[in-house]
Amino acid sequence: MKAVILVGGEGTRLRPLTCTTPKPMLPLVNIPFIEYIIRLLKEHDICDIILSVGYISDIFESCFNDGGHLGVKLTYVVEDKLLGTCGAVKNVESLLGGETFIVFNGDILTNLNIGQLLEYHRAKKAAVTITLTPVEDPTIYGLVPLDNSGRVLEFLEKPSWDEVTTDLINAGTYVIEPEVLRYVPGGENYSFERGLFPALLENRERVFGFHSSAYWLDIGTPEKYLLAHKDILEGKVSLEFIAQEIMSADKQAKSRVWVGKRAKISPEGTIFGPTVIGENAVIESHATIFSHTTIGNNCRISSGTVLEGCVLLDGCRIGEGSVVKNSILGRGLKLGKKVHVEEMVVLGDNMKVGDENHLKRGMKVWPDTEIEKGKIRF
Ligand code: GTP
């Protein structure tokens, strides 16, 4: 069986991080996000994978080549203009070999049991099976009510509470019979949600919903991107990342502090787990790192710094006495001394922030920006 992973989108809600890196290539606990999806497919013996790329397309092949090191075969198909989620699949139709295939949105963190999904699809003799996941507030999503046999009744966009009959939403993973692609116009921007799925219902095709209770998170906003890190560190979704768990001071209990190769941590630094520190990172004396922090490879955390619940991408340098909380810092970013970054701030790659700035309240700053000493205060 072949899989298509959709990775061509611009990831606008995750700007400025996605100004320089497509969303599926952003690191999650220091590994490109899409690698988790590739590994999940491989675990279920799906090794022939097509990546439908568009936005900053070259970066995928430079990172994964033919996929051999992950035990899979990767084929890249580039869209010159974005074709939408379903148009992107139509675009790779000739590579699918006329067989049942699976489609993954490239921004979903899940440990979905693909084997069960495929069994369900076959048992129902479905034309399309849509994986569904329950949500707490169904009024902000598109809902997918089912009949008793699991057949999709309708697609209900952002209903009011009195219209809500289910809490199941489209989880962005589909099993598809190749014949249904005849409903999709070639070379046009076309989506699954607004295009193909309603067309299939109109034509009384067998569209089924697979109710999955697996972990599921769309990492597409800064809040969700931070939450994905937190959930991985807490073990809510079990994913392997490359780092060694160090022993706690009493040499007994596991500390849940994972450290990459060649990282140097001052004995006078204080670190609370769960936390991940990347390869070659340096943590200087009297730095305090509170839980739910991910520090990228080659980062340098100076003396007197406080980090909490944040994600630092590779190569960040944090100046003495700075505080970073609940925020995301892009690659190669340099913070001066006594800088405060708090309350869901997102800073783009290679920024330079001068001493004594205070960045707060959801500020987003684009890559390569330089902020002079003491310019911003709240
Ligand atoms: P936002 O701009 O923040 O909505 O993000 P997005 O458009 O990149 O992602 P969205 O959640 O809308 O799409 C789900 C998945 O489909 C993501 O992995 C995208 O990369 C991918 N995707 C979206 N549009 C296209 C497209 O036109 N072509 C291809 N190949 N992939 C797409």
Side-chain angles (χ1 to χ4, degrees), residues 73-96:
K73 176 180 157 245
L74 296 178
T75 307
Y76 303 87
V77 178
V78 186
E79 271 163 45
D80 296 330
K81 69 173 175 115
L82 289 184
L83 294 171
T85 47
C86 189
V89 173
K90 179 75 178 175
N91 192 42
V92 303
E93 187 175 10
S94 62
L95 301 177
L96 294 169

mmCIF file of all heavy atoms in Angstrom, residues 73-96:
data_model
loop_
_atom_site.group_PDB
_atom_site.id
_atom_site.type_symbol
_atom_site.label_atom_id
_atom_site.label_comp_id
_atom_site.label_asym_id
_atom_site.label_seq_id
_atom_site.Cartn_x
_atom_site.Cartn_y
_atom_site.Cartn_z
ATOM 1 N N LYS A 73 10.736 4.192 1.221
ATOM 2 C CA LYS A 73 11.080 4.790 -0.080
ATOM 3 C C LYS A 73 10.257 6.070 -0.244
ATOM 4 O O LYS A 73 9.017 6.008 -0.221
ATOM 5 C CB LYS A 73 10.738 3.790 -1.188
ATOM 6 C CG LYS A 73 10.955 4.343 -2.569
ATOM 7 C CD LYS A 73 10.584 3.289 -3.610
ATOM 8 C CE LYS A 73 10.241 3.942 -4.923
ATOM 9 N NZ LYS A 73 8.880 3.783 -5.362
ATOM 10 N N LEU A 74 10.932 7.186 -0.380
ATOM 11 C CA LEU A 74 10.208 8.453 -0.507
ATOM 12 C C LEU A 74 10.251 8.947 -1.945
ATOM 13 O O LEU A 74 11.300 8.921 -2.591
ATOM 14 C CB LEU A 74 10.840 9.513 0.400
ATOM 15 C CG LEU A 74 10.793 9.251 1.905
ATOM 16 C CD1 LEU A 74 11.512 10.373 2.659
ATOM 17 C CD2 LEU A 74 9.349 9.141 2.392
ATOM 18 N N THR A 75 9.112 9.409 -2.431
ATOM 19 C CA THR A 75 9.036 10.035 -3.753
ATOM 20 C C THR A 75 8.494 11.448 -3.539
ATOM 21 O O THR A 75 7.530 11.625 -2.794
ATOM 22 C CB THR A 75 8.057 9.248 -4.665
ATOM 23 O OG1 THR A 75 8.443 7.880 -4.650
ATOM 24 C CG2 THR A 75 8.041 9.784 -6.080
ATOM 25 N N TYR A 76 9.126 12.424 -4.162
ATOM 26 C CA TYR A 76 8.693 13.813 -3.970
ATOM 27 C C TYR A 76 7.979 14.300 -5.226
ATOM 28 O O TYR A 76 8.489 14.129 -6.339
ATOM 29 C CB TYR A 76 9.918 14.710 -3.721
ATOM 30 C CG TYR A 76 10.734 14.253 -2.524
ATOM 31 C CD1 TYR A 76 11.739 13.293 -2.668
ATOM 32 C CD2 TYR A 76 10.485 14.758 -1.259
ATOM 33 C CE1 TYR A 76 12.469 12.854 -1.578
ATOM 34 C CE2 TYR A 76 11.212 14.324 -0.160
ATOM 35 C CZ TYR A 76 12.200 13.367 -0.328
ATOM 36 O OH TYR A 76 12.923 12.929 0.754
ATOM 37 N N VAL A 77 6.822 14.890 -5.044
ATOM 38 C CA VAL A 77 6.118 15.489 -6.192
ATOM 39 C C VAL A 77 5.887 16.965 -5.862
ATOM 40 O O VAL A 77 5.263 17.301 -4.854
ATOM 41 C CB VAL A 77 4.773 14.778 -6.460
ATOM 42 C CG1 VAL A 77 4.041 15.440 -7.614
ATOM 43 C CG2 VAL A 77 5.009 13.308 -6.752
ATOM 44 N N VAL A 78 6.433 17.829 -6.715
ATOM 45 C CA VAL A 78 6.382 19.271 -6.427
ATOM 46 C C VAL A 78 5.194 19.910 -7.143
ATOM 47 O O VAL A 78 4.955 19.636 -8.319
ATOM 48 C CB VAL A 78 7.678 19.958 -6.930
ATOM 49 C CG1 VAL A 78 7.712 21.422 -6.502
ATOM 50 C CG2 VAL A 78 8.909 19.232 -6.424
ATOM 51 N N GLU A 79 4.454 20.747 -6.410
ATOM 52 C CA GLU A 79 3.375 21.529 -7.031
ATOM 53 C C GLU A 79 3.894 22.922 -7.335
ATOM 54 O O GLU A 79 4.359 23.605 -6.421
ATOM 55 C CB GLU A 79 2.221 21.686 -6.024
ATOM 56 C CG GLU A 79 1.226 20.591 -6.084
ATOM 57 C CD GLU A 79 0.381 20.574 -4.816
ATOM 58 O OE1 GLU A 79 -0.079 21.627 -4.349
ATOM 59 O OE2 GLU A 79 0.215 19.467 -4.289
ATOM 60 N N ASP A 80 3.783 23.351 -8.585
ATOM 61 C CA ASP A 80 4.243 24.710 -8.900
ATOM 62 C C ASP A 80 3.287 25.732 -8.308
ATOM 63 O O ASP A 80 3.678 26.764 -7.812
ATOM 64 C CB ASP A 80 4.347 24.894 -10.411
ATOM 65 C CG ASP A 80 5.407 23.949 -10.952
ATOM 66 O OD1 ASP A 80 6.351 23.670 -10.189
ATOM 67 O OD2 ASP A 80 5.276 23.465 -12.089
ATOM 68 N N LYS A 81 1.969 25.440 -8.415
ATOM 69 C CA LYS A 81 1.009 26.267 -7.669
ATOM 70 C C LYS A 81 0.225 25.321 -6.759
ATOM 71 O O LYS A 81 -0.046 24.161 -7.146
ATOM 72 C CB LYS A 81 0.091 27.060 -8.603
ATOM 73 C CG LYS A 81 -0.896 26.225 -9.370
ATOM 74 C CD LYS A 81 -1.860 27.132 -10.110
ATOM 75 C CE LYS A 81 -2.758 26.321 -10.973
ATOM 76 N NZ LYS A 81 -3.987 26.065 -11.023
ATOM 77 N N LEU A 82 -0.126 25.815 -5.570
ATOM 78 C CA LEU A 82 -0.755 24.921 -4.597
ATOM 79 C C LEU A 82 -2.120 24.455 -5.104
ATOM 80 O O LEU A 82 -2.924 25.249 -5.595
ATOM 81 C CB LEU A 82 -0.889 25.618 -3.247
ATOM 82 C CG LEU A 82 0.437 25.835 -2.495
ATOM 83 C CD1 LEU A 82 0.191 26.441 -1.125
ATOM 84 C CD2 LEU A 82 1.222 24.535 -2.366
ATOM 85 N N LEU A 83 -2.365 23.174 -4.974
ATOM 86 C CA LEU A 83 -3.585 22.574 -5.536
ATOM 87 C C LEU A 83 -4.618 22.244 -4.473
ATOM 88 O O LEU A 83 -5.657 21.650 -4.786
ATOM 89 C CB LEU A 83 -3.199 21.303 -6.301
ATOM 90 C CG LEU A 83 -2.344 21.553 -7.555
ATOM 91 C CD1 LEU A 83 -1.822 20.245 -8.112
ATOM 92 C CD2 LEU A 83 -3.162 22.299 -8.615
ATOM 93 N N GLY A 84 -4.336 22.599 -3.199
ATOM 94 C CA GLY A 84 -5.271 22.235 -2.126
ATOM 95 C C GLY A 84 -5.060 20.778 -1.744
ATOM 96 O O GLY A 84 -4.399 20.016 -2.467
ATOM 97 N N THR A 85 -5.661 20.376 -0.619
ATOM 98 C CA THR A 85 -5.380 19.039 -0.087
ATOM 99 C C THR A 85 -5.769 17.919 -1.060
ATOM 100 O O THR A 85 -5.010 16.978 -1.271
ATOM 101 C CB THR A 85 -6.112 18.842 1.257
ATOM 102 O OG1 THR A 85 -7.460 19.274 1.101
ATOM 103 C CG2 THR A 85 -5.448 19.613 2.376
ATOM 104 N N CYS A 86 -6.946 18.032 -1.679
ATOM 105 C CA CYS A 86 -7.400 16.948 -2.557
ATOM 106 C C CYS A 86 -6.793 17.083 -3.957
ATOM 107 O O CYS A 86 -6.417 16.081 -4.582
ATOM 108 C CB CYS A 86 -8.924 16.957 -2.629
ATOM 109 S SG CYS A 86 -9.579 15.536 -3.468
ATOM 110 N N GLY A 87 -6.644 18.332 -4.426
ATOM 111 C CA GLY A 87 -5.991 18.570 -5.725
ATOM 112 C C GLY A 87 -4.573 18.003 -5.701
ATOM 113 O O GLY A 87 -4.077 17.476 -6.713
ATOM 114 N N ALA A 88 -3.922 18.076 -4.550
ATOM 115 C CA ALA A 88 -2.553 17.556 -4.417
ATOM 116 C C ALA A 88 -2.540 16.038 -4.604
ATOM 117 O O ALA A 88 -1.612 15.480 -5.188
ATOM 118 C CB ALA A 88 -1.996 17.914 -3.032
ATOM 119 N N VAL A 89 -3.578 15.363 -4.119
ATOM 120 C CA VAL A 89 -3.643 13.899 -4.268
ATOM 121 C C VAL A 89 -3.942 13.539 -5.731
ATOM 122 O O VAL A 89 -3.337 12.631 -6.301
ATOM 123 C CB VAL A 89 -4.694 13.299 -3.305
ATOM 124 C CG1 VAL A 89 -4.887 11.816 -3.580
ATOM 125 C CG2 VAL A 89 -4.254 13.514 -1.852
ATOM 126 N N LYS A 90 -4.865 14.285 -6.345
ATOM 127 C CA LYS A 90 -5.162 14.057 -7.775
ATOM 128 C C LYS A 90 -3.867 14.176 -8.596
ATOM 129 O O LYS A 90 -3.625 13.416 -9.533
ATOM 130 C CB LYS A 90 -6.189 15.101 -8.241
ATOM 131 C CG LYS A 90 -6.572 15.015 -9.696
ATOM 132 C CD LYS A 90 -7.500 13.854 -9.961
ATOM 133 C CE LYS A 90 -7.931 13.803 -11.416
ATOM 134 N NZ LYS A 90 -8.733 12.596 -11.700
ATOM 135 N N ASN A 91 -3.041 15.112 -8.199
ATOM 136 C CA ASN A 91 -1.789 15.390 -8.899
ATOM 137 C C ASN A 91 -0.804 14.207 -8.877
ATOM 138 O O ASN A 91 0.079 14.121 -9.713
ATOM 139 C CB ASN A 91 -1.141 16.621 -8.247
ATOM 140 C CG ASN A 91 -0.003 17.195 -9.031
ATOM 141 O OD1 ASN A 91 -0.085 17.300 -10.261
ATOM 142 N ND2 ASN A 91 1.067 17.555 -8.352
ATOM 143 N N VAL A 92 -0.951 13.309 -7.870
ATOM 144 C CA VAL A 92 -0.025 12.162 -7.794
ATOM 145 C C VAL A 92 -0.730 10.860 -8.184
ATOM 146 O O VAL A 92 -0.179 9.772 -7.995
ATOM 147 C CB VAL A 92 0.607 12.029 -6.376
ATOM 148 C CG1 VAL A 92 1.328 13.309 -5.983
ATOM 149 C CG2 VAL A 92 -0.427 11.658 -5.316
ATOM 150 N N GLU A 93 -1.936 10.971 -8.764
ATOM 151 C CA GLU A 93 -2.757 9.790 -9.078
ATOM 152 C C GLU A 93 -1.977 8.744 -9.887
ATOM 153 O O GLU A 93 -2.047 7.550 -9.602
ATOM 154 C CB GLU A 93 -4.001 10.236 -9.873
ATOM 155 C CG GLU A 93 -5.001 9.139 -10.109
ATOM 156 C CD GLU A 93 -6.282 9.661 -10.797
ATOM 157 O OE1 GLU A 93 -6.295 10.825 -11.255
ATOM 158 O OE2 GLU A 93 -7.253 8.885 -10.862
ATOM 159 N N SER A 94 -1.175 9.203 -10.853
ATOM 160 C CA SER A 94 -0.485 8.242 -11.737
ATOM 161 C C SER A 94 0.552 7.414 -10.962
ATOM 162 O O SER A 94 0.988 6.371 -11.434
ATOM 163 C CB SER A 94 0.182 8.988 -12.883
ATOM 164 O OG SER A 94 1.139 9.867 -12.343
ATOM 165 N N LEU A 95 0.941 7.877 -9.770
ATOM 166 C CA LEU A 95 1.949 7.127 -8.998
ATOM 167 C C LEU A 95 1.316 6.133 -8.031
ATOM 168 O O LEU A 95 2.008 5.399 -7.340
ATOM 169 C CB LEU A 95 2.819 8.103 -8.182
ATOM 170 C CG LEU A 95 3.593 9.160 -8.973
ATOM 171 C CD1 LEU A 95 4.341 10.093 -8.025
ATOM 172 C CD2 LEU A 95 4.580 8.461 -9.900
ATOM 173 N N LEU A 96 -0.018 6.135 -7.940
ATOM 174 C CA LEU A 96 -0.673 5.347 -6.891
ATOM 175 C C LEU A 96 -0.970 3.903 -7.316
ATOM 176 O O LEU A 96 -1.412 3.084 -6.502
ATOM 177 C CB LEU A 96 -1.978 6.035 -6.446
ATOM 178 C CG LEU A 96 -1.740 7.387 -5.744
ATOM 179 C CD1 LEU A 96 -3.051 8.150 -5.581
ATOM 180 C CD2 LEU A 96 -1.069 7.179 -4.400
#
